[in-house]
Amino acid sequence: SIKAIESSSKEDDTTWLTYWVVYGVFSIAESFSDLFLYWFPFYYAGKCLFLVWCMAPVSWNGSQVLYQNIIRPFFLKHHQAVDNVLGNLGTKA
């Protein structure tokens, strides 16, 4: 998804691909932190509001904000290592 977002051909899929990248990172982080966070009051309501914010059809929605400020800089810093690992997995498979 990140490769599609960063490609030169921009279409309307960029919005949803951005959402799915943010959702994937959120799901991975949540799988580790869920054991502790579900004890907090209104955790599930906050989680629902967060996901609605990520899908909101506005220019400042959560997917765009989180992707542009956190995920994209991290990916651009480490994209060569990610490509190497994926290339090695492809040859081993």
Side-chain angles (χ1 to χ4, degrees), residues 71-82:
I71 297 171
R72 185 172 190 267
F74 181 81
F75 174 75
L76 292 177
K77 183 177 177 183
H78 300 289
H79 76 86
Q80 191 63 41
V82 171

Side-chain angles (χ1 to χ4, degrees), residues 8-20:
S8 60
S9 62
K10 300 291 182 184
E11 298 174 13
D12 64 345
D13 61 345
T14 304
T15 302
W16 284 108
L17 285 173
T18 304
Y19 169 76
W20 286 113

Side-chain angles (χ1 to χ4, degrees), residues 3-82:
K3 291 287 189 179
I5 293 168
E6 296 300 324
S7 69
S8 60
S9 62
K10 300 291 182 184
E11 298 174 13
D12 64 345
D13 61 345
T14 304
T15 302
W16 284 108
L17 285 173
T18 304
Y19 169 76
W20 286 113
V21 167
V22 171
Y23 182 78
V25 170
F26 172 74
S27 295
I28 291 169
E30 185 187 31
S31 67
F32 295 108
S33 64
D34 196 37
L35 295 170
F36 304 108
L37 292 179
Y38 80 94
W39 289 95
F40 286 102
F42 304 109
Y43 167 69
Y44 291 106
K47 178 180 168 181
C48 183
L49 288 174
F50 171 77
L51 293 174
V52 168
W53 176 57
C54 286
M55 290 184 282
V58 293
S59 61
W60 47 270
N61 73 15
S63 298
Q64 295 296 325
V65 171
L66 293 173
Y67 180 78
Q68 292 296 329
N69 295 324
I70 298 171
I71 297 171
R72 185 172 190 267
F74 181 81
F75 174 75
L76 292 177
K77 183 177 177 183
H78 300 289
H79 76 86
Q80 191 63 41
V82 171

